[in-house]
Each structure stands twice: as structure tokens, then as C-alpha cells.
């Protein structure tokens, strides 16, 4: 079960490169590349995820994650858990759409 979980997590690891006319999403496991033009992005929504608590107190303070809404109805989630440069990616995309 643990090996299956790690393989599934590895398949979800991607890299996002912000280019002049869109973003390039690269799957690190399969090396599959997908180009998403800024013109196909309808909106980007940012949501604050509340922190976690236990009986001992606050575990995490919470964080922000963003969802890119595409014109075809698909969504692309971008969170700081996935990308170390989350803020830079979101700012660059907001400047283009």
C-alpha cells in the first residue's frame, strides 16, 4: 500500500514554467509537457486554507492556494506545497491574464 501511495504522489509532481504566452506544465515522472496559453485562462482564484488544530493547540497557521480556471472548464491547482516559488508563479500569471 505504501509503495502505491508514493508512486501516485510521484505522478502528481509537476514543474510549472511561466513563458511569454502561457505556462508550461511538465510532469516530472513521465516528462509529459503541456502548454496552457494565457488566452485560455479565464481567472485565477486564491483561497486561504485554515490552519490545523489539535487538543495541544495550533499545528499549522494555514496557507493560500490558487486555482487557475480555464475556459474549457478545467481547473489547475497551484499550492505552496507543490511549488517553492508559489508566490512568483501566481504573480506572473496574474500579470498576464
Amino acid at each position: 500500500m505504501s509503495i502505491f501511495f508514493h508512486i501516485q504522489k510521484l505522478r502528481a509532481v509537476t514543474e510549472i514554467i511561466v513563458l511569454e504566452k502561457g505556462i508550461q506544465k511538465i510532469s516530472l515522472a513521465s516528462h509529459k509537457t503541456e502548454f496552457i496559453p494565457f488566452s485560455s485562462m479565464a481567472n485565477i482564484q486564491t483561497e486561504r486554507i485554515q490552519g490545523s488544530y489539535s487538543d495541544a493547540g495550533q499545528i499549522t497557521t494555514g496557507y493560500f492556494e490558487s486555482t487557475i480556471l480555464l475556459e474549457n472548464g478545467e481547473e489547475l491547482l497551484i499550492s505552496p506545497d507543490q511549488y517553492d516559488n508559489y508566490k512568483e508563479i501566481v504573480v506572473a500569471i496574474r500579470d498576464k491574464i
Side-chain angles (χ1 to χ4, degrees), residues 9-72:
K9 290 291 271 182
L10 181 62
R11 295 175 93 201
V13 175
T14 59
E15 176 181 21
I16 289 184
I17 301 171
V18 180
L19 302 169
E20 187 70 28
K21 299 196 182 278
I23 61 172
Q24 188 172 8
K25 181 179 160 189
I26 304 166
S27 169
L28 298 182
S30 67
H31 297 289
K32 178 183 171 192
T33 301
E34 178 183 5
F35 179 75
I36 304 169
F38 291 122
S39 61
S40 71
M41 297 179 194
N43 196 4
I44 184 167
Q45 296 177 341
T46 300
E47 180 180 348
R48 175 147 173 78
I49 306 302
Q50 294 299 316
S52 300
Y53 295 88
S54 72
D55 292 338
Q58 188 172 11
I59 298 172
T60 64
T61 59
Y63 59 94
F64 289 94
E65 67 179 18
S66 297
T67 304
I68 299 172
L69 306 173
L70 303 176
E71 290 180 346
N72 65 4

